[in-house]
Amino acid sequence: MAKDSAWHPLDKTAGKEYRSPQDEDGSAGDVGCLGRLPRLDGKGTFLYVAGIHSIGANGVIHFLENNLAELYREVRTRRFSTLISCRCDPKTPEVLESRRVTPLYRHEG
C-alpha cells in the first residue's frame, strides 16, 4: 500500500501524523486509539478501542492491562482520548510492549 493511501490518525493539537509501522517499513507494530466517548443516545459513555490494523486494538488492550490503575487516577470517569503505539512479535500476534504516544486529551462538556 502506498504511504499516502494508508489510513492514519492525526493529532491536530500537536500537528503530528501517526502511521503504522506495518505501512511504513513492514515492521511488527501498530497504532491504536483509546477513548471514553459519549454514547449516541446521550445516556453515558463507552470505551472506544481501535487500531489502524487489528493488532493496534490488541496494543490498546495490552496498554489497558498494564496501565489501567494509572489511567483511572488521571481521568476517573471523564471523557478522554489518546493514541497508543505497540510493538509486536513479528512471528506471532503477541504484543510485546505498548505506550501512550499522545497526551490524554480530555473532552469536557
Side-chain angles (χ1 to χ4, degrees):
M1 181 179 290
K3 179 179 176 179
D4 292 337
S5 66
W7 182 89
H8 58 275
L10 170 66
D11 179 341
K12 290 183 179 182
T13 302
K16 184 174 179 182
E17 293 179 344
Y18 290 88
R19 295 185 178 268
S20 174
Q22 292 181 39
D23 298 329
E24 294 293 293
D25 60 15
S27 61
D30 202 14
V31 176
C33 180
L34 168 63
R36 181 181 292 121
L37 304 175
R39 287 177 33 165
L40 294 177
D41 63 6
K43 296 178 182 178
T45 60
F46 70 98
L47 195 62
Y48 177 78
V49 172
I52 294 175
H53 301 284
S54 59
I55 198 69
N58 291 359
V60 172
I61 298 304
H62 182 273
F63 178 83
L64 286 170
E65 288 174 338
N66 293 284
N67 299 280
L68 186 59
E70 177 187 340
L71 180 64
Y72 183 77
R73 277 193 299 274
E74 291 189 50
V75 296
R76 301 272 176 198
T77 59
R78 294 185 300 268
R79 296 184 318 196
F80 72 92
S81 61
T82 190
L83 294 178
I84 306 295
S85 174
C86 69
R87 186 175 61 84
C88 307
D89 183 321
K91 296 180 182 131
T92 69
E94 179 184 3
V95 176
L96 302 173
E97 68 178 9
S98 58
R99 64 185 175 86
R100 211 170 66 216
V101 293
T102 63
L104 286 170
Y105 290 114
R106 288 166 173 84
H107 306 285
E108 305 301 327

